[in-house]
Amino acid sequence: MDNRVFAVHCPAYDQAKEQVTRLLDMMGGMGAFVADGENIVLKANLLAAAAPQKAVTTHPAIVTAVGQMVAARGAVPTAADSPGSGYKYTEKNLKRIYRVCELATACEGAGIQLNFDTSARTVSFPDGHLIKRFEVITPIAEADGVLNLCKLKTHLFMYMTGAVKNSFGVIPGLTKPGFHAKLKDTARFADMLLDLSNFVAPRLSIMDAVVAMEGQGPNSGSPRRVGLILAATSPLALDAVAAEIMGIDPDQNPLLAAAARRGMGPSRMDDIELIGLAKSDLRVPGFKLPATLYGETGLGRLAWWQQKLLPLFKDGMSVKPVIDPKTCIACGACRESCPMDAITLHAKDHAEIDDTRCIRCYCCHEMCQYDAVSLRKSLLYRLVNP
């Protein structure tokens, strides 16, 4: 597997086209990845209907820059994704997301098609380590090739979302919660994501880290200017560099830990050949990590035997999603996204979470557009993580 990751500075999105071109020139040009007449899917991160400045989705400037280069090689670029698990995979929802994310206008002016095919295909993947069969959106199943246009963000469940996690968007809409229900711990979920990423097998992954998301991502965090665009043929290698940018120890990163356990590589910064920038150019001081990730001041300071005992206190050591009835408008997005049917609409006035059924996947927090789902830390959690 190619261990090279290419990186360039890009302080603002008005320089995206210039810097993406520079990045691809370092990799041999777009002609190394697409050919004349091919149908190429631009797999952006379109988690939710959010304006570009919120850093929830891949910025349209990145999508259009890549799409124009694909078209210049004679291939046909189509932007496609299935949004987060609170959205039904319908043409109406796609239109709204394309509009709010400003992708509709950007792609129209750049000659890039937008996908409105909301059908799905069941595909076999016998090489899967954990999952041997997936249901994926039709554009992915029919594409000649996929270019993975991911966003650098934190993630409450998986701690980080980047190149590998972006593949989860090929699972259609409300099918996603089923994976959370079946794969309740981060290690098994990471194994599924690695299988899915291997199935999608993007020819190229490009990460939008001009403005990333820190804190309580992937939907409710805060934008953080990083000023980088990165690319690699290996999604895993790209995520290893992304973890370095954020300051996440690879042993605390479920994806990188799962990859190391499976003998996949490269999954550590030491395995990476970084081209274009130095390692010292990567780390962002004070990057805010999600509340669900134990940092150096918390779990990392405990003795090994204490760490072994902590799983016995799963509920006490987890961050609990709580709905504010004053803010909630009972739209139902959280209920639709919950893989355990743990959420009900109380008298059609606000949502309620049955904590005995909640598995802490944070889909409800991820999909709430009204900031009505907060994350409550238990006393034990706060004692261990002061």
Side-chain angles (χ1 to χ4, degrees):
M1 184 177 289
D2 193 345
N3 71 334
R4 296 175 299 167
V5 174
F6 299 79
V8 295
H9 287 297
C10 185
Y13 285 109
D14 59 5
Q15 299 179 33
K17 184 174 182 179
E18 174 188 351
Q19 296 307 322
V20 168
T21 301
R22 180 179 165 217
L23 191 67
L24 267 292
D25 284 346
M26 293 163 59
M27 304 180 74
M30 186 59 77
F33 304 101
V34 304
D36 183 53
E38 287 188 316
N39 292 311
I40 301 297
V41 167
L42 309 179
K43 169 57 185 79
N45 183 327
L46 301 177
L47 173 68
Q53 61 268 26
K54 293 186 176 181
V56 173
T57 58
T58 308
H59 197 282
I62 301 292
V63 179
T64 55
V66 175
Q68 287 174 329
M69 296 179 70
V70 170
R73 298 299 306 181
V76 180
T78 300
D81 191 23
S82 172
S85 52
Y87 287 91
K88 293 181 179 179
Y89 188 45
T90 65
E91 183 175 342
K92 179 181 178 181
N93 281 336
L94 286 178
K95 284 182 177 179
R96 178 169 180 263
I97 287 170
Y98 292 150
R99 175 178 56 80
V100 177
C101 295
E102 299 182 15
L103 201 61
T105 303
C107 286
E108 180 181 1
I112 301 168
Q113 297 180 7
L114 292 173
N115 171 63
F116 292 103
D117 182 349
T118 56
S119 62
R121 302 275 187 87
T122 299
V123 295
S124 177
F125 187 55
D127 292 336
H129 174 82
L130 180 66
I131 307 295
K132 307 291 185 179
R133 185 178 299 270
F134 290 103
E135 184 181 10
V136 302
I137 60 176
T138 297
I140 292 292
E142 294 184 343
D144 293 314
V146 176
L147 302 187
N148 178 16
L149 310 185
C150 54
K151 184 79 171 180
L152 178 63
K153 299 189 292 180
T154 50
H155 195 281
L156 283 164
F157 183 49
M158 297 303 292
Y159 311 147
M160 184 195 84
T161 178
V164 174
K165 179 69 170 61
N166 196 40
S167 63
F168 198 46
V170 310
I171 304 296
L174 299 182
T175 303
K176 293 183 179 74
F179 284 95
H180 284 288
K182 296 174 184 176
L183 311 170
K184 299 178 184 179
D185 63 89
T186 56
R188 284 169 59 82
F189 200 84
D191 273 326
M192 178 276 294
L193 289 175
L194 289 168
D195 286 343
L196 184 57
S197 180
N198 287 342
F199 164 76
V200 175
R203 296 179 181 179
L204 173 67
S205 293
I206 298 176
M207 179 172 285
D208 171 9
V210 180
V211 178
M213 177 176 283
E214 65 179 358
Q216 314 315 319
N219 191 30
S220 300
S222 303
R224 177 68 183 267
R225 187 167 298 278
V226 174
L228 297 174
I229 304 176
L230 307 99
T233 59
S234 164
L236 190 57
L238 194 52
D239 279 355
V241 175
E244 176 68 21
I245 292 172
M246 290 180 165
I248 299 178
D249 188 313
D251 291 330
Q252 291 183 303
N253 184 311
L255 276 170
L256 299 182
R261 188 170 60 248
R262 288 167 55 166
M264 299 172 61
S267 60
R268 297 290 189 272
M269 193 63 206
D270 290 342
D271 303 329
I272 304 300
E273 180 185 356
L274 185 63
I275 299 173
L277 297 176
K279 182 180 176 180
S280 59
D281 295 323
L282 297 178
R283 182 69 65 91
V284 177
F287 198 96
K288 295 178 182 177
L289 300 176
T292 47
L293 175 62
Y294 303 111
E296 289 294 324
T297 58
L299 184 62
R301 285 199 316 208
L302 298 182
W304 68 268
W305 60 269
Q306 292 172 308
Q307 296 186 41
K308 292 292 184 182
L309 287 176
L310 281 176
L312 299 176
F313 305 98
K314 179 180 178 183
D315 288 339
M317 287 305 300
S318 66
V319 180
K320 177 181 176 181
V322 178
I323 294 175
D324 180 358
K326 295 180 180 180
T327 307
C328 178
I329 67 167
C331 68
C334 59
R335 181 183 62 179
E336 293 292 335
S337 69
C338 180
M340 299 304 294
D341 294 326
I343 300 178
T344 57
L345 297 184
H346 179 71
K348 298 184 179 180
D349 180 58
H350 65 272
E352 288 185 340
I353 301 175
D354 180 354
D355 192 53
T356 63
R357 299 178 64 87
C358 176
I359 61 171
R360 307 300 196 259
C361 68
Y362 309 105
C363 287
C364 55
H365 182 274
E366 176 179 327
M367 296 316 304
C368 182
Q369 299 295 301
Y370 302 97
D371 294 326
V373 183
S374 60
L375 300 173
R376 182 174 298 170
K377 301 177 182 178
S378 70
L379 175 61
L380 179 58
Y381 183 100
R382 284 183 276 122
L383 287 173
V384 176
N385 295 272

